[in-house]
Amino acid sequence: MPITLKLATSLDGRIATASGESRWITGEAARQAVHQLRSEHDAVLVGAETALADDPELTVRLPGYSGRQPARVVLDSRQRLSPDCKMVKTARQIPTYVVSTTEPDPGLVAAGVQVIQVRAIGEDRPELKTVVQALEAEGLSSIFVEGGGQVAASFLRCGLVDSIEWFRAPILIGGEGRPGIGALALAGLTAAPHFRRIEVREVGDDLWERYARV
Ligand SMILES: NC(=O)c1ccc[n+]([C@@H]2O[C@H](COP(=O)([O-])OP(=O)(O)OC[C@H]3O[C@@H](n4cnc5c(N)ncnc54)[C@H](OP(=O)(O)O)[C@@H]3O)[C@@H](O)[C@H]2O)c1
């Protein structure tokens, strides 16, 4: 299924300061474009750290929008998501999945969250090809990955990213900031994931670069 990676970074590819502050790096126009992109996908996916740090809704919020809301998916091996977070509180209105490697947490299930248990790899994290198959089995046919850096790197390492929507703000955060893409463990430059730029647009003060996998 088509998988799109979204990045909203500083010029130097950072998605948050060292302390985790990330709102907002890009401007209003870029954020509107992200909402439009969400509306074009079946599911929006984030990692547990983003869900815990930002408590995002991951909904489409555009003026006059009355279309369907994409499902939300959180990769959360140990089901650390709080019952008080926005996604859990609205799980009965908008399909919300937690992908875990452990037995479904009764509190999350009672709140209407659909916990998908998949096999683990490495550091006991969900194996991504299995995750994608499980989401396909739920009838979801496109995924919009919104980070953070560890999750972005995992999808890239597995060769699962078909396109990148990169919003770049004219600020610099520096090396201590959180990277938009975590470690890729490349053996050499020839192993680097390779993308072709298909478009560049100005959105407010930011640049929107669009890439497709070579
Ligand atoms: N600027 C932006 O647009 C933007 C967007 C998103 C996030 N952010 C910022 O980025 C920061 C969080 O990013 P992050 O890189 O630290 O964390 P992250 O990628 O959001 O989440 C990583 C966590 O996801 C869980 N996970 C489960 N399966 C995984 C897999 N296959 N691969 C990788 N992780 C998996 C792991 O926790 P378990 O082991 O517990 O499962 C892991 O620690 C926050 O500060 C947030 O504000 C900014």
Side-chain angles (χ1 to χ4, degrees):
M1 78 159 109
I3 299 179
T4 305
L5 171 64
K6 172 226 120 182
L7 291 154
T9 73
S10 58
L11 280 184
D12 52 342
R14 304 282 146 178
I15 53 169
T17 63
S19 65
E21 193 185 342
S22 70
R23 284 179 169 164
W24 298 104
I25 290 176
T26 50
E28 179 60 30
R31 299 205 298 277
Q32 292 274 306
V34 169
H35 283 262
Q36 179 62 38
L37 289 167
R38 281 181 187 162
S39 76
E40 294 166 9
H41 289 81
D42 279 355
V44 178
L45 181 148
V46 295
E49 295 297 340
T50 295
L52 292 171
D54 298 348
D55 190 13
E57 293 173 71
L58 302 181
T59 50
V60 179
R61 299 185 297 281
L62 290 171
Y65 182 79
S66 58
R68 161 202 73 114
Q69 289 291 342
R72 287 89 55 98
V73 181
V74 183
L75 297 184
D76 182 11
S77 322
R78 295 165 278 163
Q79 296 170 75
R80 291 184 284 150
L81 205 59
S82 158
D84 297 324
C85 77
K86 290 177 187 152
M87 280 193 273
V88 174
K89 280 185 168 166
T90 54
R92 295 207 181 280
Q93 289 80 52
I94 303 169
T96 305
Y97 296 89
V98 162
V99 183
S100 163
T101 53
T102 51
E103 289 289 324
D105 176 89
L108 290 179
V109 174
V113 173
Q114 301 178 62
V115 180
I116 300 178
Q117 188 180 356
V118 299
R119 70 163 177 257
I121 47 144
E123 300 153 308
D124 283 343
R125 287 179 174 170
E127 198 270 320
L128 287 187
K129 288 194 173 128
T130 316
V131 173
V132 171
Q133 281 165 7
L135 295 175
E136 267 171 342
E138 292 291 324
L140 302 171
S141 54
S142 59
I143 305 178
F144 191 53
V145 178
E146 290 209 39
Q150 293 186 63
V151 161
S154 291
F155 273 89
L156 286 162
R157 277 201 307 267
C158 293
L160 285 169
V161 176
D162 299 298
S163 49
I164 300 178
E165 305 284 359
W166 196 313
F167 296 88
R168 208 183 286 271
I171 61 167
L172 293 161
I173 291 181
E176 72 277 34
R178 309 253 175 115
I181 296 170
L184 291 178
L186 296 180
L189 207 47
T190 52
H194 197 169
F195 289 82
R196 177 172 52 88
R197 194 179 63 237
I198 52 174
E199 196 179 351
V200 183
R201 290 190 209 173
E202 286 182 30
V203 279
D205 290 339
D206 305 323
L207 268 195
W208 177 5
E209 298 159 46
R210 316 189 77 188
Y211 295 88
R213 183 164 53 182
V214 170

